[in-house]
């Protein structure tokens, strides 16, 4: 009989010992005005989860270059923010947790304001629905020399992150961001060696994985967040994601976070539950941003929620891939944690339930709670544009405070 995995026991990921199998999922914090971390705000945000018992805390969305941002308040991983980031990692470490950072680029959905008059860049030419009103209505195809530059940008950003004290890296290859755009047959229409077959579509994501590995060496765990399905007709399907996962396995990835959905086309496939678009429109200060979200309404249609909503697809991948798998999507109770580990995952990532109660892991361990009080209303998402991501039902997380160290 296979022994049940204890989620509260230490877990080893490529030499990195985590105190348990609970990971705070990357959830954009809204604490990086102008692309620079507000160190006190970002540290206080993550301290809550580290103190609350998670083994690994993921700082979200570190763009590898300025145009890799969909919002200008997403972090840009440049040299001049390393002291601030070190303050964040020191804070996480002081609570006994380890720190990961998500490395990302938004590709064809860039609406970074410094980019006005230029085109966003992705695998292929196309309309940039998210950037249309912000001055970047079109995306053009990246040239091969630009792909090389981007691989360098990922590599140097990864090195900076390690210098700033992060223990692990998460490469964002899901949710319709740049590397997910390359993997997706619905978006990647290239005719060269980077388009067509899955092997070709996975070529650039693999080049990024190899560049990052070369940059940080063999000791640092590299986690890949990827889509099981894009969730729209013509997008990536499970057969291809299994093949991609095998390629990541052969190329020294350490674990896969299995998600789905495409922010520009069907964002609610990744969240499930009621749409937050009305609240998002309400919190925008500028008319143009209100209009952008009004235009994005069709991509933000509500979808039914159930716990562990990616489990069935993940089981198909589990049957063919032996890498550690990390469950994300609807881990809302301790029984779901145990179920995920029984079904073949090695760890869980939690987003909304921890935003509602950052000490949830401690509560589970002590037996004072077995379920999250999160109602999956999804309104936490809109808070990123108000005072920083937090649960609207309580004040468990700090609101945005003015930067004191910049
Ligand atoms: C407020 C908020 C912000 C998010 N930002 C990111 C992000 O920056 N990168 C990412 O990969 N996923 C992001 N997500 C998605 C989560 O990582 C996770 O995949 C999703 O919320 C499902 O997990 P959950 O059911 O535990 O919330 C975000 C989710 C929320 C609620």
């Amino acid at each position: 009989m296979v022994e049940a995995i204890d989620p509260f026991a230490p877990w080893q990921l490529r030499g990195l010992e985590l105190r348990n199998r609970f990971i705070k999922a990357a959830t954009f914090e809204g604490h990086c005005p102008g692309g620079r971390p507000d160190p006190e705000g970002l540290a206080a945000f993550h301290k809550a989860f580290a103190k609350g018992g998670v083994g690994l805390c993921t700082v979200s969305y570190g763009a590898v270059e300025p145009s890799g941002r969909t919002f200008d308040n997403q972090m840009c991983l440049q040299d001049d923010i390393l002291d601030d980031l070190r303050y964040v990692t020191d804070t996480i470490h002081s609570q006994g947790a380890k720190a990961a950072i998500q490395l990302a680029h938004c590709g064809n959905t860039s609406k970074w304001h410094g980019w006005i008059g230029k085109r966003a860049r992705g695998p292929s030419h196309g309309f940039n629905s998210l950037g249309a009103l912000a001055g970047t209505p079109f995306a053009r195809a990246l040239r091969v020399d630009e792909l090389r530059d981007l691989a360098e940008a990922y590599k140097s950003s990864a090195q900076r992150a390690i210098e700033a004290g992060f223990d692990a890296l998460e490469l964002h290859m899901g949710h319709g961001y740049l590397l997910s755009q390359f993997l997706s047959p619905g978006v990647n229409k290239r005719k060269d060696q980077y388009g067509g077959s899955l092997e070709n579509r996975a070529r650039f994501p693999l080049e990024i994985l190899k560049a990052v590995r070369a940059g940080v060496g063999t000791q640092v765990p590299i986690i890949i967040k990827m889509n099981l399905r894009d969730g729209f007709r013509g997008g990536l399907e499970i057969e291809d994601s299994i093949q991609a996962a095998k390629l990541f396995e052969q190329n020294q990835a350490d674990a896969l976070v299995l998600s789905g959905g495409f922010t520009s086309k069907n964002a609610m496939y990744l969240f499930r539950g009621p749409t937050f678009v009305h609240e998002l429109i309400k919190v925008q200060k500028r008319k143009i941003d209100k209009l952008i979200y009004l235009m994005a309404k069709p991509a933000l249609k509500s979808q039914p929620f159930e716990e562990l909503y990616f489990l069935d697809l993940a089981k198909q991948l589990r049957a063919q891939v032996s890498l550690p798998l990390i469950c994300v999507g609807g881990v809302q109770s301790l029984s779901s944690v145990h179920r995920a580990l029984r079904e073949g995952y090695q760890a869980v990532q939690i987003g909304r339930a921890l935003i509602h109660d950052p000490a949830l892991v401690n509560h589970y361990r002590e037996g004072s709670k077995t379920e999250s009080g999160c109602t999956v209303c999804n309104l936490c998402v809109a808070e990123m544009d108000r005072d920083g991501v937090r649960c609207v039902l309580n004040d468990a997380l700090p609101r945005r405070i003015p930067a004191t160290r910049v």
Side-chain angles (χ1 to χ4, degrees):
M1 207 174 87
V2 186
E3 214 175 301
I5 297 175
D6 176 3
F8 300 105
W11 183 46
Q12 197 87 11
L13 193 59
R14 189 183 278 263
L16 178 70
E17 175 150 313
L18 304 176
R19 63 183 165 187
N20 58 42
R21 292 174 189 248
F22 291 90
I23 303 173
K24 163 68 180 55
T27 60
F28 175 60
E29 301 90 357
H31 284 283
C32 292
R36 295 185 61 91
D38 152 20
E40 303 292 346
L42 196 61
F45 185 87
H46 286 284
K47 183 178 181 180
F49 308 110
K51 192 172 174 194
V54 300
L56 181 65
C57 204
T58 313
V59 173
S60 113
Y61 212 94
V64 300
E65 59 158 40
S67 73
R69 297 176 294 170
T70 322
F71 316 104
D72 51 15
N73 61 350
Q74 279 169 328
M75 184 200 306
C76 192
L77 256 167
Q78 312 280 22
D79 276 331
D80 61 353
I81 65 164
L82 296 196
D83 285 346
D84 294 335
L85 279 183
R86 203 167 293 113
Y87 181 70
V88 175
T89 55
D90 284 348
T91 304
I92 293 172
H93 291 149
S94 73
Q95 302 301 316
K98 298 289 194 287
I101 187 164
Q102 186 174 61
L103 300 187
H105 192 293
C106 66
N108 67 16
T109 62
S110 180
K111 61 183 172 72
W112 177 53
H113 298 299
W115 212 233
I116 286 179
K118 297 185 182 162
R119 281 185 288 174
R121 300 173 304 163
S124 309
H125 298 275
F127 180 61
N128 172 9
S129 55
L130 291 180
L133 292 171
T136 52
F138 298 105
R140 67 166 174 83
L142 281 151
R143 298 186 310 266
V144 171
D145 63 302
E146 291 177 309
L147 296 183
R148 289 199 195 106
D149 291 345
L150 275 169
E152 273 306 307
Y154 269 90
K155 181 178 168 183
S156 53
S157 297
Q159 289 170 323
R160 285 187 199 112
I162 300 307
E163 204 185 317
F166 285 99
D167 307 285
L169 302 170
E170 181 176 288
L171 301 182
H172 201 351
M173 298 201 186
H175 299 175
Y177 290 89
L178 177 66
L179 302 178
S180 164
Q181 292 160 19
F182 267 84
L183 286 166
S184 178
V187 175
N188 181 347
K189 304 292 181 194
R190 294 177 79 100
K191 301 279 180 257
D192 63 1
Q193 70 273 33
Y194 293 98
S197 66
L198 182 272
E199 209 170 45
N200 279 359
R201 283 181 277 123
R203 192 179 304 279
F204 182 51
L206 280 173
E207 286 175 0
I208 298 299
L209 172 59
K210 289 178 197 166
V212 169
R213 175 60 75 207
V216 298
T218 53
Q219 299 307 308
V220 178
I222 302 179
I223 298 167
I224 291 181
K225 187 167 186 176
M226 62 178 286
N227 280 0
L228 289 156
R229 282 189 75 223
D230 287 343
F232 64 89
R233 198 178 308 176
L236 185 85
E237 294 293 346
I238 183 69
E239 297 76 20
D240 274 359
S241 63
I242 292 173
Q243 293 314 312
K246 287 181 179 172
L247 293 170
F248 298 143
E249 180 166 52
Q250 288 156 19
N251 285 277
Q252 299 188 58
D254 293 298
L256 305 174
V257 182
L258 300 176
S259 189
F262 229 77
T263 305
S264 58
K265 294 183 184 292
N266 63 350
M268 298 316 294
Y269 187 77
L270 79 95
F271 292 106
R272 312 295 167 97
T275 183
F276 45 83
V277 71
H278 307 288
E279 197 60 24
L280 214 44
I281 292 169
K282 212 191 304 173
V283 301
Q284 299 309 313
K285 293 188 185 73
R286 303 175 335 152
K287 279 206 178 97
I288 186 115
D289 291 323
K290 286 185 189 287
L291 264 170
I292 286 169
Y293 286 113
L294 210 57
M295 278 180 63
K297 245 176 149 178
L300 283 158
K301 271 203 238 125
S302 306
Q303 299 216 17
F305 174 87
E306 60 175 335
E307 290 211 20
L308 305 184
Y309 46 85
F310 288 120
L311 176 62
D312 287 343
L313 287 168
K315 277 160 70 175
Q316 295 181 48
L317 188 143
R318 172 76 296 168
Q320 297 197 49
V321 176
S322 34
L323 268 183
L325 301 181
I326 300 171
C327 178
V328 76
V331 183
Q332 287 279 344
S333 62
L334 185 55
S335 61
S336 280
V337 174
H338 287 298
R339 179 163 179 221
L341 298 179
R342 255 196 331 269
E343 298 278 12
Y345 289 106
Q346 275 63 48
V348 295
Q349 276 199 355
I350 307 179
R352 287 163 291 185
L354 281 171
I355 290 171
H356 175 70
D357 180 1
L360 188 62
V361 177
N362 284 343
H363 288 305
Y364 283 165
R365 203 190 56 240
E366 291 156 4
S368 49
K369 275 189 188 174
T370 55
E371 303 212 341
S372 155
C374 168
T375 58
V376 199
C377 68
N378 288 329
L379 296 181
C380 55
V381 183
E383 293 302 302
M384 64 193 182
D385 287 343
R386 190 177 271 135
D387 291 318
V389 162
R390 62 178 199 101
C391 177
V392 299
L393 302 177
N394 61 39
D395 257 330
L397 287 169
R399 290 171 191 245
R400 190 153 45 223
I401 51 175
T404 54
R405 289 163 51 95
V406 287

